[in-house]
Amino acid sequence: MYQGLLHTHILLRYFILVMLVVVIVMAINGLMNKKPYGKLDNKFSLYLFIFTHLQLLIGIILYIVSYMDGARRVHFTADTMKNPSLRYWAVEHVIGMLVAIVLITVARITTKKLSLDAAKHRRMLVLNTVALVLIISIILLGKMSIL
């Protein structure tokens, strides 16, 4: 069960990164060319929203399973904060990705309430770009903590 969840979580990560780039490029295109915020913009934003929340759900299940199985992949001991690898998986990865998901969610929800198309594109651009930078930095931090 753990391996299947882990592989799904990893695969979905790449899909979310591609979707984020697509949404950001669409927002830049909409701002630069003064295009209306259309159905396609809304659909890609919705798909990004759905996949990030699916990733969150899989991540929560993975977190619980990794703690409950016999291997105890997630540790909650006094030494957790001293070990960079354990700290990354128990704290930094979780908090960083939660913040990124909140940014993507806020972008989706608040964009629907705006009336000007330029404001919608700008909101999608700014919040999703910050989320993308945060996700990439957390992934790179994980690569460095494992080394």
Side-chain angles (χ1 to χ4, degrees):
M1 180 173 174
Y2 176 80
Q3 288 299 322
L5 285 170
L6 183 62
H7 290 301
T8 304
H9 194 68
I10 291 169
L11 182 65
L12 198 52
R13 166 181 68 182
Y14 295 114
F15 191 73
I16 289 171
L17 289 172
V18 168
M19 289 293 296
L20 263 172
V21 170
V22 168
V23 168
I24 291 168
V25 168
M26 289 177 71
I28 291 170
N29 187 30
L31 272 175
M32 301 289 275
N33 298 324
K34 298 184 191 311
K35 290 185 175 183
Y37 190 84
K39 286 185 179 180
L40 196 59
D41 296 302
N42 191 43
K43 278 187 179 182
F44 275 99
S45 169
L46 177 63
Y47 295 148
L48 176 62
F49 177 82
I50 290 169
F51 287 121
T52 54
H53 284 82
L54 180 62
Q55 180 78 326
L56 174 64
L57 180 63
I58 292 169
I60 290 170
I61 294 169
L62 188 61
Y63 199 74
I64 292 168
V65 168
S66 66
Y67 178 71
M68 294 180 71
D69 72 351
R72 299 272 182 193
R73 292 174 183 89
V74 177
H75 300 275
F76 298 105
T77 64
D79 295 329
T80 300
M81 296 307 279
K82 295 176 188 173
N83 183 328
S85 181
L86 293 178
R87 182 181 62 236
Y88 172 77
W89 291 112
V91 179
E92 296 165 357
H93 178 78
V94 175
I95 292 173
M97 295 305 175
L98 277 174
V99 171
I101 291 170
V102 166
L103 288 169
I104 292 168
T105 302
V106 168
R108 168 79 182 151
I109 291 171
T110 60
T111 298
K112 292 181 353 183
K113 296 178 182 178
L114 296 172
S115 59
L116 297 175
D117 290 329
K120 290 180 179 186
H121 288 301
R122 191 174 304 110
R123 177 75 47 96
M124 292 302 286
L125 174 63
V126 171
L127 292 177
N128 286 316
T129 301
V130 172
L132 178 62
V133 169
L134 182 61
I135 289 171
I136 290 172
S137 64
I138 293 295
I139 290 171
L140 292 176
L141 180 66
K143 300 288 184 194
M144 291 185 336
S145 70
I146 293 172
L147 297 178

